[in-house]
Amino acid sequence: MVSIDQLSLPRQLDIVFRELDEELKGLDSGIVFVQIRNNVIGKFGIRHNPVPMRTEIHTISGLTDVQRSSFRQMALETLKLKRHWTHGEITYDFTVRQGMIVVDATLESNYNLASLMIRYPRNTYQELTSG
């Protein structure tokens, strides 16, 4: 059996979008998020605020097959912008406007100072700041 940490990040993201496909069929806006640790996607899901959708003017139609496929492709393309970090979160804020899906991606890197202290012991840190 293949372990999740043996899969590339694009393959993991593809799996995420396949898992969220049914939920995306019922939404036309929201935020898809993926949390990454050691280049492995752990937690993922959709943030959605249904309150504004309860007006008589706006009806929820959900994403079409083409829109969901385009969304997945755009998400995979954003991974090319991820550079030199292994921990963080990527959010994809999406909405449908005039029949087209619009996606705004945010890449957030996270670092832990305690783990950096292992890499940069106290005496090394003093040398770095004195120069």
Side-chain angles (χ1 to χ4, degrees):
M1 177 160 199
V2 176
S3 173
I4 191 72
D5 59 345
Q6 294 174 321
L7 297 175
S8 68
L9 198 54
R11 180 68 182 120
Q12 293 174 55
L13 191 60
D14 186 57
I15 291 168
V16 164
F17 272 83
R18 291 184 193 285
E19 183 66 26
L20 296 176
D21 192 63
E22 282 299 315
E23 192 172 352
L24 290 170
K25 283 182 182 179
L27 300 174
D28 57 8
S29 68
I31 299 171
V32 171
F33 66 90
V34 293
Q35 294 179 350
I36 301 167
R37 183 172 172 89
N38 291 325
N39 279 329
V40 174
I41 295 175
K43 185 177 172 184
F44 64 91
I46 299 175
R47 295 182 184 114
H48 180 262
N49 184 1
V51 175
M53 302 296 183
R54 292 187 180 163
T55 65
E56 294 177 19
I57 302 168
H58 188 88
T59 57
I60 300 172
S61 58
L63 298 179
T64 65
D65 292 342
V66 172
Q67 290 167 338
R68 290 191 318 277
S69 177
S70 295
F71 188 4
R72 185 176 60 79
Q73 281 303 119
M74 284 186 265
L76 290 169
E77 284 294 313
T78 62
L79 288 180
K80 294 177 182 176
L81 303 173
K82 179 184 166 295
R83 300 267 190 240
H84 308 291
W85 54 269
T86 59
H87 295 62
E89 181 173 287
I90 303 175
T91 57
Y92 303 98
D93 191 349
F94 70 95
T95 190
V96 175
R97 290 193 184 131
Q98 299 175 350
M100 295 186 66
I101 187 166
V102 179
V103 179
D104 183 26
T106 303
L107 287 76
E108 173 186 311
S109 61
N110 298 137
Y111 297 89
N112 184 326
L113 190 58
S115 64
L116 290 177
M117 296 311 289
I118 295 168
R119 193 178 334 161
Y120 302 110
R122 177 178 261 162
N123 60 351
T124 305
Y125 176 72
Q126 290 171 350
E127 291 169 8
L128 291 173
T129 57
S130 64

